Amino acid sequence: MKPSLILAGVVQALQVCAASGAGGKLGTTIEDRQLDQDIVTWDNRSLFINGERLMIFSGEFHPFRLPVPSLWLDIFQKVKAMGLNCVSFYVDWALLEGKPGNFKAEGVFDLKPFFDAAQKAGLYLLARPGPYINAEASGGGFPGWVSRVRGTLRTSAPDYLAATDNYMSNIAKIIADAQITNGGPVILLQPENEYTGAVSYLPFPDGAYMEYVIQQSKKAGVVVPIISNDARSSGHNAPGTGVGEVDIYGHDNYPLGFDCANPTVWPSGNLRTNYWSTHLQQSPSTPYSLVEFQAGSFDPWGGWGFEKCSELINHEFERVFYKNNYAAGVTILNLYMIYGGTNWGNLGHPGGYTSYDYGSVIKEDRTITREKYSELKLQATFIQSSPDYLTATPGTNTVNEYSNNGDITVTPLLANDTAAASFFIVRHTNYANTASTNYRVTFSTSKGSISAPVTNQTLTLNGRDSKVMVTDYDVQGTKVLYSTSDIFTHQKTESGVILILYAGAGEYNEFAIQGSRSAVKEIENGADYVLAGDNSTEFVTVGWTASPQRSILQIGDVQVYLLDRNSAYNYWVTSTGDDGSKIIINGPYLVRSASIADNALQISADFNKSTSIEIIGAPSGVTKFTVNDREFTLNGNGSSLTANITLDEPRYDIPALKDLEWKYIDTLPEIKTDYDDSAWPVADLTSSNNTYQRLNTPVSLFGSDYGFNAGILIYRGHFNATGWENSFSLWTQGGSGFGASIWLDDVLLSSFHGDGSSEYSQASYNISSLEAGSAHVFTVVVDQTGHNELSIGEDDMKSPRGIVGWRFDTTKATNTPISWKLTGNLGGEDYHDAARGPLNEGGLFAERHGYHLPNPPVSDAGWSASTPFDGISSAGVAFYAAPFTLDLPSEAWDIPLSFVFTNDTSSGAYRAQLYINGWQFGKYTSDIGPQTEYPVPEGILNYKGTNWIGLSVWALDEGGAKVPGLELVAGTPVWTGREEVQLVEAPEWEARDGAY
Ligand code: GAL
């Protein structure tokens, strides 16, 4: 720890506010806590940064799932544009320490550009280095070699702890350097992951273990607060629980689970309503923190596809569930995932396929067309516009107290101070209700009790909707006495104040704002509105019905925009400088940033079509307007300006993959009778350290025992027949979705095609015709799908991959020994490709030789002209490579590209691996699915030059297989303000020493 940081020695209790009260009220006495810094502090309601109380509204994004560092800023800006102010990220140990003792965080694995981009976008970071992360990552982030550790993982077992030390000291130092105390963006660190339960025979919770992990970070200089993520609100490791306690207690919740089969079904009882009361029992001195809250779902092999998951966890889910989180007073909220990305290069766990889109807020191809993006923007912008939310005290949910209809539940967050706002979260009592319900509300305000509507209209809550109503809400110095509709934001501009309200189209709402009724001026009249009440009060009451045509009313200093929700989706709030000034822009697909200098307004924004935009709240005198450095004419004047952003459709061609000059090489030469495997690693370990699965074979055939931790494993088993063999039984294990084929000499015995759930397969083969004394070889190909995640004490991560058992059944008691060899990626843990990391390649002949890399030696012997669309006519594995050129206008256009397989099994079942410029960006299974579309980002793809596609096609059955169709497909081009994408380092093929 750095001495200068220890000096800070701040006592946390200083931050406690003056008011007093019982649990949950501001000012509750909290224990004095020595902090190692004074920048990030907290009390029982929220975090403070540099003394400023704030909501940490965060989204999860894993840099390792988008291996193009120059695109990280793009994601960050899309997160920031929603109103979020933080990103939480895991680090995947398996990618950084592929060989024990050999920590490498360079190239796409370097986190420095991630920290820089976060800072550039203006986001804080919550660092989650593990060592265990879960995350649907292979081994839950544990490198495959961890399966050789005898001790129980995620416990105080000394050999396990020792195995984590090198990684943790290195990664924690990298994170420590990026802390806010050192001028960086990192404000919080979460050790371990969901340290919540263990098998019954283990002492749990093991405080010493958690403390060890915390100290690993602290020793490397981490001084920011340590936050936990209990899997559910069990109170583990909360402050006051003793050894292993964290600074701030947090928990996770995925209320709708992970089955995307029936996306419209919300089972009863899945909305938790006791968060706050539980929090008061478990961790009353810390802000209520949801460190992972559901924002999508993972999906298994054979699953439903991520579009279904995005329907399950959609904008309606956000309305009902996220607003329920505000009802519980959450002030540290991290949504998992905000951007999922890709399980490229075997980094995923067996429970998932290549895409990690997650049905999340930002799609895997980085587009933001899901409605949940827009809905989240409305909510986050509101919370960030409502500082009183951070001090209001959550109450209990009520029926018939604030509303007159038992079908409506209202949860108040009441102000502690008469000058502050109260918030009322309104939802259906049966949260899954799809009906529209009429109701009235009654609030006590600083002007006495108000019952709304005051007109003879009625309020309506549509199915699966929820609203945040306010009373005594401050709008830049003007009071809104109440509003029954949601607020988007309010901003001060040079010429006054803008307040934006929204509601579902057709809904009636009311608000009362300080001002005089006679002075109300109609600026636009689209949505119907009425002025209620009389002139005698200091408040004007407006009843209005949301419609796609807005109304704008000038009431005193405030211009009130009355929008329907779909229109509100198009509004963006953007800072124009460090002084806190902001403008509101209506229209673009995305606004990234803005600045004003010398009467020139510049914005960086994205457009997916020609759009008329409106700039609200620009300072007077702005005469020049540029979007992405292109000048546009401004119309209008003062605080409301318009411009027509016309796009010239870009022109480009996307190559037809079927027309490429494909070259083919047999990548399973092992099944040829003259194949020479003398250079192969010999399976010679007669024991295994694997404590999860007993060795059932004379020598271990577990891939990771020999350092083969990812991708396809191949075995060669030589034996001399006695002639008494009847059958041969083989057990293979590769994780769900895995596949396997077994050949005897050059004859396919059979293949296991795999399915969504089988982790292993057992089969017996008739080999009764072998002649006594004849020499034979089995070739076994196992396509493993990664290492399992693990629960504490189960050590499931150690579940071995490869052959886990074999046996001859003989008619006479004879013994037929087999001498085995095996391979995975060339070199195993001494992997060859530092740029793409330890997991990117597997054990196919073409992979061992690096033919999946750009510019393979396609004119050498062994290669011939043939295409994946011709395929192969017998079982085996083919490898195809071809160059193609792209020339896309990517300086100014963001054009998502995907490789799309035709979903058709009539031309033979096959498993394919897709390599783009050497990066494995797809594992396709023709008969398991569900993924057929594989987005590949620019940066991996060279949008202005030559690219190489490599495709392995494993024909599982005797008739062989061909790829019925594979196309490169472009999505809607977006004229973009993102920074230009830099190609990642993608070393080309060169002959590999010792490749076999
Ligand atoms: C959580 C876990 C995350 C991720 C998530 C499901 O329990 O902490 O790492 O696995 O579930 O996507």
Side-chain angles (χ1 to χ4, degrees):
M1 191 178 288
K2 293 184 182 164
S4 61
L5 297 175
I6 303 174
L7 281 181
V10 172
V11 176
Q12 178 57 31
L14 288 178
Q15 203 57 261
V16 173
C17 296
S20 65
K25 289 266 169 65
L26 289 177
T28 307
T29 310
I30 62 174
E31 84 264 34
D32 289 359
R33 184 166 277 269
Q34 280 297 127
L35 293 189
D36 298 328
Q37 46 79 39
D38 60 0
I39 296 181
V40 187
T41 56
W42 67 93
D43 69 3
N44 55 351
R45 275 300 272 125
S46 79
L47 220 59
F48 295 75
I49 295 184
N50 289 316
E52 188 194 343
R53 185 187 281 286
L54 82 175
M55 166 95 179
I56 300 299
F57 208 135
S58 170
E60 183 86 11
F61 158 39
H62 303 147
F64 59 86
R65 283 186 158 119
L66 178 59
V68 183
S70 57
L71 280 173
W72 293 340
L73 180 64
D74 176 60
I75 301 295
F76 284 141
Q77 288 181 331
K78 286 169 178 164
V79 170
K80 174 81 178 175
M82 276 186 280
L84 275 60
N85 60 356
C86 185
V87 156
S88 160
F89 68 102
Y90 280 133
V91 186
D92 187 351
W93 176 15
L95 293 168
L96 303 188
E97 196 179 2
K99 180 181 182 179
N102 192 7
F103 178 92
K104 263 200 196 128
E106 288 153 25
V108 301
F109 306 110
D110 182 5
L111 286 171
K112 179 80 171 53
F114 188 73
F115 300 142
D116 292 347
Q119 214 149 17
K120 188 160 187 183
L123 292 170
Y124 296 119
L125 293 175
L126 189 174
R128 309 202 297 159
Y132 186 71
I133 59 169
N134 213 60
E136 289 73 73
S138 178
F142 283 174
W145 55 262
V146 167
S147 64
R148 304 195 296 265
V149 170
R150 290 203 68 86
T152 307
L153 309 180
R154 305 178 67 192
T155 70
S156 294
D159 56 348
Y160 162 68
L161 294 180
T164 65
D165 280 341
N166 181 46
Y167 163 70
M168 282 303 281
S169 60
N170 278 289
I171 195 65
K173 167 83 171 66
I174 289 171
I175 292 169
D177 288 347
Q179 290 174 108
I180 192 165
T181 49
N182 293 328
V186 174
I187 54 162
L188 292 166
L189 180 132
Q190 180 213 293
E192 243 286 337
N193 190 74
E194 295 194 332
Y195 185 65
T196 303
V199 290
S200 55
Y201 54 82
L202 280 178
F204 188 85
D206 175 352
Y209 168 60
M210 194 63 167
E211 187 59 28
Y212 189 89
V213 179
I214 293 171
Q215 289 305 329
Q216 282 178 319
S217 291
K218 293 205 167 184
K219 277 190 207 145
V222 169
V223 292
V224 293
I226 303 290
I227 189 166
S228 59
N229 75 327
D230 218 353
R232 49 196 159 272
S233 50
S234 313
H236 293 115
N237 304 98
T241 52
V243 183
E245 69 185 37
V246 294
D247 296 316
I248 299 175
Y249 174 76
H251 72 90
D252 298 350
N253 195 209
Y254 292 82
L256 288 192
F258 306 103
D259 182 355
C260 306
N262 302 300
T264 58
V265 177
W266 288 8
S268 66
N270 288 29
L271 186 83
R272 288 271 309 276
T273 54
N274 59 347
Y275 281 150
W276 178 249
S277 55
T278 311
H279 172 71
L280 291 182
Q281 289 156 19
Q282 294 176 335
S283 192
S285 64
T286 64
Y288 179 52
S289 306
L290 280 163
V291 179
E292 285 178 34
F293 195 84
Q294 185 156 29
S297 171
F298 56 77
D299 193 46
W301 287 102
W304 303 97
F306 285 115
E307 281 316 307
K308 279 243 162 99
C309 299
S310 77
E311 280 171 49
L312 177 70
I313 310 301
N314 65 359
H315 50 284
E316 293 176 335
F317 173 90
E318 291 181 327
R319 276 175 208 144
V320 174
F321 285 84
Y322 296 176
K323 288 181 179 177
N324 184 59
N325 293 340
Y326 316 140
V330 67
T331 61
I332 298 180
L333 173 63
N334 178 46
L335 302 174
Y336 190 102
M337 304 289 301
I338 208 78
Y339 171 76
T342 308
N343 290 324
W344 63 274
N346 301 308
L347 75 80
H349 79 145
Y353 38 94
T354 304
S355 176
Y356 195 66
D357 175 274
Y358 212 77
S360 63
V361 178
I362 302 171
K363 281 172 72 162
E364 183 180 8
D365 65 5
R366 296 178 294 102
T367 56
I368 50 171
T369 47
R370 288 183 176 144
E371 188 169 351
K372 59 197 288 188
Y373 180 94
S374 306
E375 171 62 30
L376 185 57
K377 176 177 63 173
L378 297 183
Q379 293 185 27
T381 306
F382 164 67
I383 293 285
Q384 301 294 19
S385 304
S386 307
D388 287 351
Y389 165 74
L390 300 171
T391 53
T393 300
T396 47
N397 39 303
T398 64
V399 176
N400 292 327
E401 183 173 339
Y402 299 97
S403 89
N404 68 335
N405 184 335
D407 186 34
I408 297 287
T409 290
V410 179
T411 311
L413 288 109
L414 297 178
N416 293 298
D417 167 346
T418 48
S422 294
F423 300 78
F424 300 86
I425 285 66
V426 176
R427 63 167 168 86
H428 287 278
T429 301
N430 164 10
Y431 79 97
N433 195 343
T434 52
S436 289
T437 302
N438 293 339
Y439 65 108
R440 301 178 54 76
V441 285
T442 305
F443 305 124
S444 57
T445 71
S446 58
K447 298 289 164 195
S449 174
I450 300 265
S451 187
V454 297
T455 65
N456 60 0
Q457 297 269 7
T458 162
L459 303 177
T460 309
L461 186 69
N462 284 328
R464 296 193 175 175
D465 195 2
S466 172
K467 290 177 183 301
V468 185
M469 301 185 176
V470 295
T471 56
D472 288 297
Y473 183 90
D474 177 62
V475 172
Q476 313 287 335
T478 300
K479 184 177 275 191
V480 168
L481 189 63
Y482 72 95
S483 169
T484 66
S485 77
D486 285 278
I487 295 173
F488 173 49
T489 191
H490 48 93
Q491 302 295 335
K492 205 179 199 93
T493 72
E494 199 186 85
S495 53
V497 171
I498 306 291
L499 166 65
I500 301 180
L501 308 179
Y502 69 91
E507 286 174 25
Y508 175 82
N509 279 285
E510 279 180 7
F511 66 96
I513 189 167
Q514 256 175 332
S516 133
R517 185 177 158 168
S518 54
V520 173
K521 213 168 99 197
E522 182 182 288
I523 297 179
E524 270 182 44
N525 178 0
D528 283 347
Y529 69 91
V530 290
L531 302 184
D534 56 41
N535 246 341
S536 61
T537 71
E538 56 180 301
F539 290 89
V540 183
T541 301
V542 181
W544 62 285
T545 303
S547 101
Q549 277 74 49
R550 70 186 178 190
S551 281
I552 304 176
L553 303 180
Q554 180 84 44
I555 306 177
D557 200 25
V558 183
Q559 277 193 9
V560 188
Y561 282 61
L562 304 174
L563 308 181
D564 78 327
R565 189 193 286 117
N566 287 352
S567 305
Y569 284 162
N570 298 324
Y571 287 63
W572 305 85
V573 180
T574 309
S575 298
T576 49
D578 296 335
D579 60 351
S581 51
K582 293 186 174 153
I583 51 170
I584 297 167
I585 304 179
N586 170 20
Y589 168 80
L590 168 71
V591 178
R592 296 169 186 270
S593 62
S595 64
I596 298 176
D598 301 330
N599 290 338
L601 167 63
Q602 310 189 16
I603 69 168
S604 164
D606 289 24
F607 293 84
N608 60 357
K609 56 175 191 284
S610 293
T611 312
S612 301
I613 67 164
E614 184 184 24
I615 298 150
I616 302 163
S620 58
V622 166
T623 48
K624 193 173 162 197
F625 178 51
T626 58
V627 182
N628 307 335
D629 296 329
R630 201 175 126 193
E631 194 168 344
F632 289 88
T633 311
L634 277 180
N635 309 306
N637 52 38
S639 70
S640 183
L641 303 167
T642 59
N644 286 326
I645 310 301
T646 46
L647 305 187
D648 307 320
E649 288 296 312
R651 287 170 191 277
Y652 50 85
D653 293 319
I654 301 295
L657 299 183
K658 65 176 183 0
D659 298 337
L660 304 185
E661 269 194 46
W662 290 95
K663 290 289 164 50
Y664 153 85
I665 192 165
D666 178 8
T667 188
L668 196 63
E670 289 84 354
I671 56 172
K672 293 200 176 110
T673 46
D674 59 350
Y675 181 77
D676 176 6
D677 62 18
S678 52
W680 280 47
V682 174
D684 54 3
L685 297 172
T686 51
S687 64
S688 174
N689 266 352
N690 196 302
T691 53
Y692 181 84
Q693 197 155 325
R694 201 161 44 87
L695 210 55
N696 273 321
T697 50
V699 292
S700 168
L701 297 173
F702 300 165
S704 289
D705 277 354
Y706 299 88
F708 300 122
N709 299 317
I712 290 174
L713 298 168
I714 308 184
Y715 293 84
R716 302 272 293 162
H718 294 269
F719 65 98
N720 288 315
T722 59
W724 298 106
E725 294 86 0
N726 274 334
S727 65
F728 179 68
S729 298
L730 185 75
W731 286 256
T732 51
Q733 185 161 289
S736 33
F738 92 106
S741 292
I742 170 167
W743 278 265
L744 175 61
D745 304 321
D746 56 356
V747 177
L748 177 74
L749 295 180
S750 86
S751 290
F752 173 66
H753 286 215
D755 54 56
S757 56
S758 305
E759 294 185 34
Y760 76 95
S761 146
Q762 188 271 323
S764 296
Y765 312 97
N766 183 338
I767 53 164
S768 54
S769 57
L770 300 184
E771 259 177 52
S774 57
H776 300 276
V777 59
F778 289 119
T779 298
V780 180
V781 185
V782 180
D783 184 13
Q784 61 143 322
T785 51
H787 292 274
N788 290 341
E789 295 174 326
L790 64 136
S791 33
I792 301 167
E794 301 274 10
D795 272 6
D796 344 11
M797 177 268 153
K798 295 176 178 173
S799 172
R801 300 297 180 235
I803 294 177
V804 294
W806 60 267
R807 189 178 71 217
F808 284 108
D809 287 317
T810 54
T811 42
K812 205 169 158 186
T814 55
N815 180 20
T816 310
I818 301 182
S819 54
W820 288 99
K821 295 183 163 188
L822 79 164
T823 191
N825 66 305
L826 186 71
E829 286 161 17
D830 288 308
Y831 54 98
H832 276 248
D833 189 348
R836 300 175 186 86
L839 305 182
N840 186 59
E841 54 191 61
L844 287 179
F845 172 81
E847 294 174 296
R848 292 174 342 235
H849 284 269
Y851 296 159
H852 57 289
L853 302 175
N855 223 358
V858 291
S859 16
D860 283 9
W863 291 84
S864 58
S866 177
T867 80
F869 312 103
D870 301 327
I872 48 176
S873 54
S874 59
V877 192
F879 187 79
Y880 302 92
F884 61 95
T885 305
L886 294 175
D887 183 11
L888 303 183
S890 57
E891 326 66 61
W893 292 85
D894 201 346
I895 304 168
L897 292 181
S898 298
F899 291 82
V900 183
F901 287 83
T902 303
N903 188 5
D904 171 5
T905 46
S906 61
S907 45
Y910 69 100
R911 304 172 77 92
Q913 297 182 108
L914 172 70
Y915 279 99
I916 300 301
N917 295 326
W919 303 80
Q920 194 256 80
F921 254 79
K923 268 174 106 99
Y924 172 78
T925 53
S926 70
D927 50 2
I928 306 178
Q931 189 175 5
T932 53
E933 229 180 287
Y934 295 79
V936 179
E938 184 181 359
I940 293 297
L941 275 166
N942 182 353
Y943 273 29
K944 288 194 175 294
T946 304
N947 295 275
W948 279 86
I949 178 171
L951 193 69
S952 62
V953 179
W954 170 352
L956 290 155
D957 299 321
E958 270 168 12
K962 56 185 173 191
V963 174
L966 176 63
E967 280 179 281
L968 182 55
V969 176
T972 306
V974 175
W975 185 50
T976 183
R978 63 130 173 72
E979 292 195 349
E980 271 189 52
V981 182
Q982 309 299 317
L983 274 181
V984 300
E985 191 203 345
E988 295 200 341
W989 174 81
E990 31 182 74
R992 290 181 168 182
D993 283 348
Y996 46 84

